[in-house]
Amino acid sequence: MDDEYFMGLALERAKSAYASGRRPIHCLIVEPDGRVVGEAGNTVARDNDPSAHAEVNAIRRACANLQTLDLTGCSLYTPMEPCPMCLSTILEARISRLVVGARHRRVGRTDLGDYSVESFLATLSKRIEIASVREAECEELRIAWKRSRGEMRR
């Protein structure tokens, strides 16, 4: 797996969403052979669906494409650390690897308290391999989006 490459694809699509006025997040689900089997952005506002986060949407597509609920062996690429709902869905789908860019704490997200993927996993008996790549690029994109919404001081 080329984590840099797949995170680059997710980042390109997230930047495109940002340029179109949407939340800058896009997730890819990739099989061990490098085939993208599911991908999606955040469609919460468009769909009036609070569960339509990019990770959940990408998992729905991967499961539909593969006709399975079990994504063992797959990696999920996301430029932003998954929220607790998304991480629960990732674990339920049995995704083997999570590749993440920006972390909530580093981009100033305070509504989740001390949450991190690792702190959430510490409360569970489920495990997942975690890798971090292109953190600075992902953080810059998320901070730019937050500033454009007036959520951060310049």
Side-chain angles (χ1 to χ4, degrees):
M1 281 289 196
D2 186 344
D3 291 345
E4 295 282 332
Y5 172 77
F6 288 112
M7 183 61 80
L9 287 178
L11 262 170
E12 283 176 26
R13 291 175 173 114
K15 288 175 182 177
S16 178
Y18 177 58
S20 298
R22 298 185 320 270
R23 188 178 297 261
I25 185 84
H26 194 92
C27 295
L28 302 174
I29 311 251
V30 181
E31 288 191 313
D33 65 2
R35 183 170 64 118
V36 176
V37 293
E39 68 174 292
N42 181 301
T43 60
V44 169
R46 183 192 78 194
D47 297 346
N48 293 309
D49 178 354
S51 71
H53 290 201
E55 297 90 341
V56 173
N57 289 341
I59 290 168
R60 288 174 178 154
R61 289 187 179 159
C63 289
N65 288 338
L66 298 174
Q67 294 294 293
T68 185
L69 298 174
D70 186 350
L71 299 177
T72 298
C74 291
S75 296
L76 184 144
Y77 292 83
T78 178
M80 187 69 229
E81 182 175 27
C83 73
M85 176 189 71
C86 292
L87 182 56
S88 294
T89 306
I90 290 164
L91 295 171
E92 189 65 28
R94 296 187 184 107
I95 289 172
S96 298
R97 294 181 71 241
L98 171 62
V99 184
V100 63
R103 297 298 190 119
H104 294 296
R105 186 171 296 151
R106 291 187 44 98
V107 297
R109 184 168 181 185
T110 58
D111 62 316
L112 294 177
D114 290 332
Y115 168 83
S116 70
V117 168
E118 291 82 3
S119 69
F120 190 81
L121 287 171
T123 69
L124 305 173
S125 60
K126 296 182 180 184
R127 299 289 172 250
I128 187 170
E129 181 183 337
I130 302 167
S132 296
V133 296
R134 300 178 82 157
E135 297 98 325
E137 271 182 276
C138 294
E139 289 170 9
E140 288 171 17
L141 179 60
R142 186 61 171 211
I143 289 168
W145 177 74
K146 287 180 72 159
R147 283 189 177 140
S148 74
R149 295 170 42 96
E151 294 179 20
M152 292 186 84
R153 292 188 183 133
R154 293 187 189 267

